[in-house]
Short mmCIF file of all heavy atoms in Angstrom, two decimals:
data_model
loop_
_atom_site.label_atom_id
_atom_site.label_comp_id
_atom_site.label_asym_id
_atom_site.label_seq_id
_atom_site.Cartn_x
_atom_site.Cartn_y
_atom_site.Cartn_z
N HIS D 48 -9.91 15.50 14.95
CA HIS D 48 -11.27 15.98 14.70
C HIS D 48 -11.44 17.41 15.19
O HIS D 48 -10.71 17.86 16.08
CB HIS D 48 -12.27 15.09 15.44
CG HIS D 48 -12.08 13.65 15.16
ND1 HIS D 48 -11.59 12.77 16.10
CD2 HIS D 48 -12.29 12.93 14.04
CE1 HIS D 48 -11.51 11.57 15.57
NE2 HIS D 48 -11.92 11.63 14.32
N ASP D 50 -12.65 19.20 17.40
CA ASP D 50 -13.02 19.33 18.81
C ASP D 50 -12.02 18.58 19.68
O ASP D 50 -12.10 18.66 20.90
CB ASP D 50 -14.45 18.88 19.11
CG ASP D 50 -14.68 17.39 18.93
OD1 ASP D 50 -13.76 16.67 18.51
OD2 ASP D 50 -15.81 16.93 19.20
N ASP D 83 -27.33 11.52 13.94
CA ASP D 83 -28.52 12.09 13.31
C ASP D 83 -28.66 11.51 11.91
O ASP D 83 -27.82 11.75 11.05
CB ASP D 83 -28.38 13.62 13.25
CG ASP D 83 -29.61 14.27 12.64
OD1 ASP D 83 -30.41 13.58 11.96
OD2 ASP D 83 -29.79 15.47 12.85
N LEU D 86 -28.30 13.87 8.56
CA LEU D 86 -27.13 14.62 8.11
C LEU D 86 -26.31 13.85 7.08
O LEU D 86 -26.06 12.66 7.24
CB LEU D 86 -26.24 14.97 9.30
CG LEU D 86 -26.80 15.99 10.28
CD1 LEU D 86 -25.79 16.28 11.38
CD2 LEU D 86 -27.19 17.28 9.57
N ARG D 88 -22.58 13.58 4.84
CA ARG D 88 -21.15 13.86 5.06
C ARG D 88 -20.83 15.33 4.81
O ARG D 88 -20.10 15.96 5.58
CB ARG D 88 -20.30 13.03 4.09
CG ARG D 88 -20.23 11.57 4.45
CD ARG D 88 -19.47 10.81 3.35
NE ARG D 88 -19.09 9.50 3.84
CZ ARG D 88 -17.86 9.10 4.10
NH1 ARG D 88 -16.84 9.91 3.82
NH2 ARG D 88 -17.61 7.91 4.58
N ARG D 95 -19.32 21.10 11.30
CA ARG D 95 -18.22 20.99 12.26
C ARG D 95 -17.17 22.07 12.04
O ARG D 95 -16.52 22.52 12.98
CB ARG D 95 -17.62 19.59 12.19
CG ARG D 95 -18.70 18.56 12.59
CD ARG D 95 -18.13 17.24 12.92
NE ARG D 95 -17.31 17.33 14.12
CZ ARG D 95 -16.73 16.28 14.67
NH1 ARG D 95 -16.88 15.09 14.12
NH2 ARG D 95 -16.01 16.41 15.75
N ASP D 120 -13.14 11.51 7.88
CA ASP D 120 -13.26 11.02 9.25
C ASP D 120 -13.35 9.49 9.26
O ASP D 120 -13.99 8.88 8.39
CB ASP D 120 -14.53 11.62 9.86
CG ASP D 120 -14.57 11.44 11.37
OD1 ASP D 120 -13.60 10.95 11.95
OD2 ASP D 120 -15.61 11.81 11.95
N GLU D 124 -6.56 6.21 9.58
CA GLU D 124 -5.57 5.13 9.73
C GLU D 124 -5.32 4.37 8.43
O GLU D 124 -4.38 3.59 8.34
CB GLU D 124 -5.99 4.16 10.83
CG GLU D 124 -7.28 3.44 10.54
CD GLU D 124 -7.60 2.37 11.61
OE1 GLU D 124 -6.69 1.72 12.09
OE2 GLU D 124 -8.80 2.24 11.95
N GLN D 157 3.49 2.51 23.70
CA GLN D 157 2.56 3.17 22.78
C GLN D 157 1.18 3.23 23.40
O GLN D 157 0.55 2.21 23.64
CB GLN D 157 2.48 2.39 21.47
CG GLN D 157 3.78 2.38 20.70
CD GLN D 157 3.59 1.83 19.30
OE1 GLN D 157 2.76 2.29 18.55
NE2 GLN D 157 4.37 0.82 18.97
N ARG D 158 0.71 4.43 23.55
CA ARG D 158 -0.60 4.60 24.14
C ARG D 158 -1.68 4.08 23.21
O ARG D 158 -1.61 4.26 21.99
CB ARG D 158 -0.82 6.08 24.46
CG ARG D 158 -2.13 6.37 25.18
CD ARG D 158 -2.09 7.71 25.85
NE ARG D 158 -1.31 7.67 27.08
CZ ARG D 158 -1.76 7.18 28.23
NH1 ARG D 158 -2.99 6.67 28.31
NH2 ARG D 158 -1.00 7.18 29.30
N TRP D 159 -2.68 3.44 23.79
CA TRP D 159 -3.85 3.05 23.02
C TRP D 159 -4.78 4.26 22.85
O TRP D 159 -5.09 4.97 23.81
CB TRP D 159 -4.63 1.94 23.73
CG TRP D 159 -5.95 1.72 23.05
CD1 TRP D 159 -7.16 2.25 23.39
CD2 TRP D 159 -6.17 0.94 21.88
NE1 TRP D 159 -8.12 1.84 22.51
CE2 TRP D 159 -7.54 1.04 21.56
CE3 TRP D 159 -5.35 0.17 21.07
CZ2 TRP D 159 -8.11 0.40 20.46
CZ3 TRP D 159 -5.91 -0.48 19.97
CH2 TRP D 159 -7.27 -0.35 19.68
N LYS D 161 -8.39 5.21 20.19
CA LYS D 161 -9.21 4.72 19.09
C LYS D 161 -8.53 5.14 17.79
O LYS D 161 -7.67 6.02 17.77
CB LYS D 161 -10.63 5.25 19.19
CG LYS D 161 -10.75 6.73 18.93
CD LYS D 161 -12.21 7.11 18.68
CE LYS D 161 -12.31 8.61 18.48
NZ LYS D 161 -13.58 8.99 17.88
N SER D 162 -8.97 4.53 16.69
CA SER D 162 -8.16 4.55 15.48
C SER D 162 -7.71 5.92 14.99
O SER D 162 -6.53 6.14 14.74
CB SER D 162 -8.88 3.81 14.36
OG SER D 162 -10.08 4.46 14.06
N ARG D 165 -5.29 7.41 17.43
CA ARG D 165 -4.03 6.66 17.37
C ARG D 165 -3.19 7.14 16.19
O ARG D 165 -2.01 7.45 16.34
CB ARG D 165 -4.37 5.18 17.20
CG ARG D 165 -3.34 4.22 17.73
CD ARG D 165 -3.97 2.84 17.90
NE ARG D 165 -4.31 2.19 16.67
CZ ARG D 165 -5.47 1.58 16.40
NH1 ARG D 165 -6.45 1.56 17.29
NH2 ARG D 165 -5.67 0.99 15.25
N TYR D 169 0.52 9.13 16.46
CA TYR D 169 1.78 8.64 15.92
C TYR D 169 2.25 9.49 14.74
O TYR D 169 3.44 9.76 14.61
CB TYR D 169 1.65 7.18 15.49
CG TYR D 169 1.26 6.31 16.65
CD1 TYR D 169 0.43 5.21 16.51
CD2 TYR D 169 1.71 6.62 17.94
CE1 TYR D 169 0.08 4.44 17.60
CE2 TYR D 169 1.35 5.85 19.03
CZ TYR D 169 0.53 4.77 18.85
OH TYR D 169 0.17 4.02 19.93
N TYR D 207 -8.45 10.14 28.53
CA TYR D 207 -8.61 9.49 29.84
C TYR D 207 -7.26 8.93 30.23
O TYR D 207 -6.31 9.01 29.44
CB TYR D 207 -9.69 8.41 29.83
CG TYR D 207 -9.50 7.34 28.80
CD1 TYR D 207 -8.70 6.23 29.05
CD2 TYR D 207 -10.13 7.44 27.56
CE1 TYR D 207 -8.52 5.26 28.10
CE2 TYR D 207 -9.94 6.46 26.60
CZ TYR D 207 -9.14 5.37 26.87
OH TYR D 207 -8.95 4.40 25.93
N ASP D 208 -7.17 8.36 31.37
CA ASP D 208 -5.90 7.87 31.90
C ASP D 208 -4.87 8.99 31.96
O ASP D 208 -4.06 9.16 31.04
CB ASP D 208 -5.34 6.71 31.07
CG ASP D 208 -4.03 6.19 31.69
OD1 ASP D 208 -3.90 6.25 32.92
OD2 ASP D 208 -3.15 5.74 30.93
N GLN D 235 -22.03 17.66 18.47
CA GLN D 235 -21.25 16.62 19.11
C GLN D 235 -21.64 16.34 20.57
O GLN D 235 -21.73 15.20 20.98
CB GLN D 235 -19.75 16.98 19.05
CG GLN D 235 -19.23 17.12 17.63
CD GLN D 235 -19.40 15.83 16.82
OE1 GLN D 235 -18.92 14.79 17.22
NE2 GLN D 235 -20.13 15.89 15.72
N TYR D 236 -21.82 17.39 21.35
CA TYR D 236 -22.09 17.15 22.76
C TYR D 236 -23.51 17.49 23.14
O TYR D 236 -23.94 17.25 24.25
CB TYR D 236 -21.17 17.99 23.66
CG TYR D 236 -19.73 17.93 23.31
CD1 TYR D 236 -18.90 19.03 23.54
CD2 TYR D 236 -19.17 16.78 22.78
CE1 TYR D 236 -17.57 18.97 23.25
CE2 TYR D 236 -17.82 16.73 22.47
CZ TYR D 236 -17.03 17.84 22.70
OH TYR D 236 -15.71 17.79 22.40
N TRP D 240 -26.42 15.78 18.56
CA TRP D 240 -25.81 14.46 18.40
C TRP D 240 -26.77 13.48 17.77
O TRP D 240 -26.41 12.67 16.92
CB TRP D 240 -25.35 13.98 19.78
CG TRP D 240 -24.72 12.63 19.85
CD1 TRP D 240 -25.15 11.58 20.59
CD2 TRP D 240 -23.53 12.19 19.20
NE1 TRP D 240 -24.32 10.52 20.44
CE2 TRP D 240 -23.30 10.84 19.59
CE3 TRP D 240 -22.63 12.80 18.31
CZ2 TRP D 240 -22.22 10.10 19.13
CZ3 TRP D 240 -21.56 12.05 17.85
CH2 TRP D 240 -21.36 10.73 18.25
N GLU D 254 -28.02 24.03 29.36
CA GLU D 254 -27.73 22.67 29.82
C GLU D 254 -26.35 22.22 29.36
O GLU D 254 -25.59 21.60 30.11
CB GLU D 254 -28.79 21.70 29.29
CG GLU D 254 -29.56 21.01 30.39
CD GLU D 254 -30.52 19.97 29.82
OE1 GLU D 254 -31.22 20.27 28.81
OE2 GLU D 254 -30.57 18.86 30.37
N ALA D 258 -23.35 21.25 31.89
CA ALA D 258 -22.67 19.96 31.81
C ALA D 258 -21.17 20.15 31.62
O ALA D 258 -20.35 19.49 32.26
CB ALA D 258 -23.25 19.12 30.67
N HIS D 262 -18.15 19.07 34.34
CA HIS D 262 -17.15 18.06 34.03
C HIS D 262 -15.75 18.59 33.79
O HIS D 262 -14.87 17.85 33.35
CB HIS D 262 -17.61 17.22 32.83
CG HIS D 262 -18.77 16.35 33.21
ND1 HIS D 262 -20.08 16.75 33.07
CD2 HIS D 262 -18.81 15.12 33.79
CE1 HIS D 262 -20.89 15.80 33.50
NE2 HIS D 262 -20.15 14.81 33.95
N MET E 1 -15.31 12.31 14.16
CA MET E 1 -15.91 11.91 15.44
C MET E 1 -15.36 12.72 16.59
O MET E 1 -14.30 13.28 16.50
CB MET E 1 -15.62 10.43 15.66
CG MET E 1 -16.54 9.56 14.84
SD MET E 1 -15.87 7.89 14.69
CE MET E 1 -14.79 8.12 13.29
N ARG E 2 -16.08 12.77 17.61
CA ARG E 2 -15.62 13.51 18.78
C ARG E 2 -14.74 12.61 19.64
O ARG E 2 -14.64 11.41 19.43
CB ARG E 2 -16.82 13.94 19.58
CG ARG E 2 -17.63 12.73 20.01
CD ARG E 2 -18.93 13.14 20.60
NE ARG E 2 -19.59 11.97 21.14
CZ ARG E 2 -20.77 12.01 21.70
NH1 ARG E 2 -21.43 13.15 21.76
NH2 ARG E 2 -21.31 10.93 22.18
N PHE E 3 -14.12 13.17 20.64
CA PHE E 3 -13.39 12.30 21.55
C PHE E 3 -14.37 11.81 22.59
O PHE E 3 -15.33 12.48 22.97
CB PHE E 3 -12.17 12.99 22.16
CG PHE E 3 -12.44 14.28 22.83
CD1 PHE E 3 -12.73 14.32 24.18
CD2 PHE E 3 -12.42 15.46 22.10
CE1 PHE E 3 -12.97 15.52 24.81
CE2 PHE E 3 -12.66 16.66 22.73
CZ PHE E 3 -12.94 16.70 24.08
N ILE E 5 -14.72 10.78 25.86
CA ILE E 5 -15.07 10.99 27.26
C ILE E 5 -15.98 12.19 27.48
O ILE E 5 -17.06 12.08 28.05
CB ILE E 5 -13.78 11.16 28.09
CG1 ILE E 5 -13.11 9.83 28.16
CG2 ILE E 5 -14.08 11.69 29.47
CD1 ILE E 5 -14.03 8.68 28.48
N VAL E 9 -19.82 11.95 28.75
CA VAL E 9 -20.26 12.60 29.97
C VAL E 9 -21.38 13.60 29.69
O VAL E 9 -22.43 13.59 30.31
CB VAL E 9 -19.06 13.32 30.62
CG1 VAL E 9 -19.53 14.31 31.65
CG2 VAL E 9 -18.13 12.28 31.23
N LEU E 10 -21.14 14.45 28.73
CA LEU E 10 -22.15 15.45 28.42
C LEU E 10 -23.44 14.78 28.00
O LEU E 10 -24.53 15.15 28.43
CB LEU E 10 -21.66 16.36 27.29
CG LEU E 10 -20.56 17.35 27.68
CD1 LEU E 10 -20.11 18.09 26.44
CD2 LEU E 10 -21.07 18.33 28.73
N LEU E 11 -23.29 13.81 27.15
CA LEU E 11 -24.46 13.15 26.62
C LEU E 11 -25.27 12.51 27.73
O LEU E 11 -26.48 12.68 27.83
CB LEU E 11 -24.01 12.09 25.61
CG LEU E 11 -25.11 11.48 24.77
CD1 LEU E 11 -25.70 12.53 23.85
CD2 LEU E 11 -24.54 10.35 23.93
N LEU E 14 -26.70 15.19 30.11
CA LEU E 14 -27.71 16.10 29.56
C LEU E 14 -28.97 15.42 29.07
O LEU E 14 -30.08 15.85 29.35
CB LEU E 14 -27.13 16.85 28.37
CG LEU E 14 -26.29 18.10 28.65
CD1 LEU E 14 -25.78 18.61 27.33
CD2 LEU E 14 -27.13 19.16 29.36
N PHE E 15 -28.77 14.41 28.28
CA PHE E 15 -29.90 14.00 27.44
C PHE E 15 -30.37 12.59 27.72
O PHE E 15 -31.33 12.12 27.12
CB PHE E 15 -29.52 14.16 25.97
CG PHE E 15 -29.04 15.54 25.70
CD1 PHE E 15 -27.69 15.78 25.55
CD2 PHE E 15 -29.92 16.62 25.68
CE1 PHE E 15 -27.22 17.07 25.35
CE2 PHE E 15 -29.46 17.90 25.47
CZ PHE E 15 -28.11 18.14 25.32
N ARG E 128 -5.43 -3.30 5.59
CA ARG E 128 -6.19 -3.20 6.83
C ARG E 128 -7.61 -2.70 6.61
O ARG E 128 -8.54 -3.14 7.26
CB ARG E 128 -5.46 -2.31 7.83
CG ARG E 128 -4.16 -2.98 8.32
CD ARG E 128 -3.56 -2.22 9.49
NE ARG E 128 -3.32 -0.85 9.11
CZ ARG E 128 -3.67 0.21 9.83
NH1 ARG E 128 -4.26 0.04 11.00
NH2 ARG E 128 -3.42 1.42 9.41
N ASN E 155 -5.12 1.33 28.10
CA ASN E 155 -4.26 2.52 28.11
C ASN E 155 -3.12 2.43 27.11
O ASN E 155 -2.86 3.38 26.38
CB ASN E 155 -3.70 2.80 29.51
CG ASN E 155 -4.82 3.14 30.48
OD1 ASN E 155 -5.85 3.66 30.06
ND2 ASN E 155 -4.65 2.81 31.74
N PHE E 156 -2.44 1.31 27.08
CA PHE E 156 -1.34 1.16 26.13
C PHE E 156 -1.63 -0.01 25.20
O PHE E 156 -2.41 -0.90 25.52
CB PHE E 156 -0.02 0.96 26.88
CG PHE E 156 0.37 2.18 27.64
CD1 PHE E 156 0.00 2.36 28.96
CD2 PHE E 156 1.07 3.20 27.00
CE1 PHE E 156 0.33 3.53 29.65
CE2 PHE E 156 1.40 4.36 27.68
CZ PHE E 156 1.03 4.53 29.01
N GLN E 157 -0.98 0.01 24.05
CA GLN E 157 -1.21 -1.05 23.07
C GLN E 157 -0.52 -2.32 23.52
O GLN E 157 0.69 -2.37 23.61
CB GLN E 157 -0.67 -0.64 21.71
CG GLN E 157 -1.41 0.53 21.10
CD GLN E 157 -1.01 0.75 19.66
OE1 GLN E 157 -1.08 -0.17 18.86
NE2 GLN E 157 -0.60 1.95 19.35
N TYR E 169 -6.15 -5.32 16.98
CA TYR E 169 -6.41 -3.95 16.55
C TYR E 169 -7.51 -3.88 15.51
O TYR E 169 -8.34 -2.98 15.53
CB TYR E 169 -5.12 -3.30 16.02
CG TYR E 169 -4.04 -3.28 17.06
CD1 TYR E 169 -2.71 -3.44 16.74
CD2 TYR E 169 -4.37 -3.13 18.41
CE1 TYR E 169 -1.73 -3.44 17.71
CE2 TYR E 169 -3.40 -3.15 19.39
CZ TYR E 169 -2.09 -3.31 19.04
OH TYR E 169 -1.13 -3.31 20.00
N ASP E 173 -10.92 -1.80 15.79
CA ASP E 173 -11.25 -0.80 14.78
C ASP E 173 -12.57 -1.13 14.09
O ASP E 173 -13.34 -0.23 13.74
CB ASP E 173 -10.12 -0.70 13.75
CG ASP E 173 -8.85 -0.10 14.35
OD1 ASP E 173 -8.91 0.42 15.48
OD2 ASP E 173 -7.81 -0.12 13.68
N ARG E 176 -15.53 -0.22 16.32
CA ARG E 176 -15.76 1.22 16.27
C ARG E 176 -16.44 1.62 14.96
O ARG E 176 -17.43 2.34 14.94
CB ARG E 176 -14.44 1.97 16.41
CG ARG E 176 -14.54 3.47 16.25
CD ARG E 176 -13.15 4.03 15.92
NE ARG E 176 -12.66 3.43 14.70
CZ ARG E 176 -12.75 4.00 13.50
NH1 ARG E 176 -13.30 5.19 13.36
NH2 ARG E 176 -12.31 3.39 12.43
N MET E 179 -20.39 1.08 14.05
CA MET E 179 -21.49 1.87 14.62
C MET E 179 -21.81 3.15 13.84
O MET E 179 -22.80 3.82 14.13
CB MET E 179 -21.20 2.23 16.08
CG MET E 179 -20.21 3.35 16.27
SD MET E 179 -20.09 3.87 18.04
CE MET E 179 -21.44 5.06 18.16
N TRP E 180 -20.98 3.47 12.86
CA TRP E 180 -21.18 4.74 12.16
C TRP E 180 -21.83 4.50 10.82
O TRP E 180 -21.25 3.89 9.94
CB TRP E 180 -19.85 5.47 11.99
CG TRP E 180 -19.22 5.79 13.31
CD1 TRP E 180 -18.21 5.10 13.91
CD2 TRP E 180 -19.59 6.85 14.20
NE1 TRP E 180 -17.92 5.67 15.12
CE2 TRP E 180 -18.74 6.75 15.33
CE3 TRP E 180 -20.54 7.87 14.16
CZ2 TRP E 180 -18.83 7.62 16.41
CZ3 TRP E 180 -20.63 8.74 15.23
CH2 TRP E 180 -19.78 8.62 16.35
N ARG E 181 -22.99 5.03 10.68
CA ARG E 181 -23.77 4.90 9.46
C ARG E 181 -23.01 5.31 8.21
O ARG E 181 -23.21 4.75 7.13
CB ARG E 181 -25.01 5.80 9.61
CG ARG E 181 -25.85 6.01 8.39
CD ARG E 181 -27.09 6.87 8.71
NE ARG E 181 -26.79 8.16 9.24
CZ ARG E 181 -26.60 9.29 8.52
NH1 ARG E 181 -26.68 9.24 7.21
NH2 ARG E 181 -26.34 10.44 9.10
N LEU E 182 -22.13 6.28 8.34
CA LEU E 182 -21.47 6.83 7.16
C LEU E 182 -20.13 6.15 6.85
O LEU E 182 -19.46 6.52 5.89
CB LEU E 182 -21.28 8.34 7.31
CG LEU E 182 -22.61 9.13 7.36
CD1 LEU E 182 -22.40 10.55 7.86
CD2 LEU E 182 -23.27 9.16 5.99
N ASP E 282 -15.30 3.54 21.09
CA ASP E 282 -14.24 4.55 21.02
C ASP E 282 -13.30 4.48 22.23
O ASP E 282 -12.15 4.90 22.15
CB ASP E 282 -14.84 5.96 20.99
CG ASP E 282 -15.29 6.33 19.60
OD1 ASP E 282 -15.31 5.46 18.72
OD2 ASP E 282 -15.65 7.50 19.40
N GLY E 285 -10.07 1.07 25.17
CA GLY E 285 -8.79 0.92 25.89
C GLY E 285 -8.84 1.45 27.30
O GLY E 285 -7.84 1.47 28.01
N LYS E 286 -9.99 1.87 27.70
CA LYS E 286 -10.12 2.49 29.03
C LYS E 286 -10.02 1.46 30.14
O LYS E 286 -10.66 0.42 30.09
CB LYS E 286 -11.46 3.21 29.13
CG LYS E 286 -11.33 4.51 29.88
CD LYS E 286 -12.55 5.35 29.72
CE LYS E 286 -13.69 4.82 30.56
NZ LYS E 286 -14.63 5.92 30.88
#
Side-chain angles (χ1 to χ4, degrees):
Chain D
H48 308 110
D50 67 357
D83 181 341
L86 291 182
R88 286 175 165 248
R95 297 196 66 177
D120 193 5
E124 63 175 323
Q157 295 190 54
R158 184 161 283 282
W159 170 264
K161 69 165 177 164
S162 63
R165 206 162 69 227
Y169 301 145
Y207 56 85
D208 182 32
Q235 299 301 303
Y236 311 149
W240 178 239
E254 241 185 315
H262 290 91
Chain E
M1 282 162 274
R2 59 190 187 182
F3 54 91
I5 289 315
V9 164
L10 287 175
L11 191 66
L14 277 177
F15 306 103
R128 291 190 303 132
N155 296 331
F156 293 92
Q157 294 190 54
Y169 301 145
D173 291 350
R176 175 199 60 97
M179 77 172 274
W180 299 100
R181 170 177 58 90
L182 295 166
D282 279 9
K286 219 167 76 154

